[in-house]
């Protein structure tokens, strides 16, 4: 069996989304990529979580051809692949319909960066895609969803690393999240839900709540990410 440890990690990331309450029914999926092999491991479609095993994960190449597995891959596979093809820094993708983040997606509103919890993970407002056009929905819907995320993300990043903005809301749908690994993508999905809930509550309390000052936003993002990061323990210490 190919990629046994990545199969384990992707299964675990999918189970983590369920444990965190981010995925109910079948509204979600996570995947991971081996860049060395150019192969993606993703959750199978329509298998109960309590019966899912590493061997059930489906392995495809970056064009979606099944390399190993007897089950059908998650129907959102083309969206995941579009992200992996566009950004080589991405090692894992997680998609959920978690309630608060999905509420922002359905409202068609980016999540403003109102506090340091947000800025620790997302370097600015979390963007939302434009609505897909009818032709984009009729044909290659999941691939076009991926293209919409990639276009929106490139616009929001303005040259920054895609891991500086590890989520995009798909208008009328829900969030897609990513990270350096499948585990990290699942973690981001959890933090995103918390940040979405906080932003919602803040705006209910004060509809004029202002975005964080640029200096504070940058301080919080950069102390956890990038060359000058100092938050937490140094590797090996
Ligand atoms: Zn979905």
């Amino acid at each position: 069996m190919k990629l046994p440890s990545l199969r384990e990690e992707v299964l675990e990331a999918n189970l983590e989304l369920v444990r965190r309450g981010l995925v109910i029914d079948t509204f979600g999926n996570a995947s991971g990529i081996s860049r060395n092999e150019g192969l993606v491991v993703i959750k199978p479609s329509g298998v109960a979580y309590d019966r899912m095993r590493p061997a059930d994960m489906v392995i495809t190449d970056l064009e979606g051809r099944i390399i190993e597995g007897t089950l059908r891959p998650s129907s959102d596979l083309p969206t995941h692949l579009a992200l992996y093809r566009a950004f080589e820094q991405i090692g894992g993708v997680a998609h959920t319909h978690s309630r608060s983040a999905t509420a922002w997606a359905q409202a068609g509103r980016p999540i403003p960066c109102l506090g340091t919890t947000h800025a620790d993970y997302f370097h600015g407002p979390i963007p939302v895609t434009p609505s897909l056009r009818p032709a984009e929905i009729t044909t290659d819907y999941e691939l076009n969803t991926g293209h919409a995320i990639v276009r929106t993300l490139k616009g929001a990043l303005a040259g920054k690393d895609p891991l500086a903005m590890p989520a995009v809301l798909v208008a009328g749908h829900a969030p897609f999240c990513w990270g350096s690994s499948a585990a990290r993508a699942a973690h981001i999905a959890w933090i995103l839900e918390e940040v979405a809930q906080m932003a919602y509550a803040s705006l209910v309390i004060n509809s004029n709540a202002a975005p964080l000052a640029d200096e504070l936003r940058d301080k919080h993002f950069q102390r956890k990410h990038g060359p000058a990061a100092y938050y937490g323990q140094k590797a090996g210490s």
Side-chain angles (χ1 to χ4, degrees), residues 3 14 37 46 54-55 59 79 81 84 105 113 131 147 165 175 182 188 195 205 213 218 225-226 232:
L3 302 173
N14 278 284
E37 312 235 7
I59 299 186
T79 315
L81 295 179
Y84 289 127
C113 182
S131 297
H147 288 159
M165 183 48 65
I188 294 287
V195 162
I205 296 165
D218 294 351
H225 308 270

Side-chain angles (χ1 to χ4, degrees), residues 10 13-14 17 28-32 41-43 57 80 84 93-95 182 186:
V10 169
N14 278 284
L17 297 178
N29 39 68
S31 69
V41 177
I42 192 165
K43 184 178 95 62
M57 301 299 112
H80 292 232
Y84 289 127
V93 174
H95 171 52

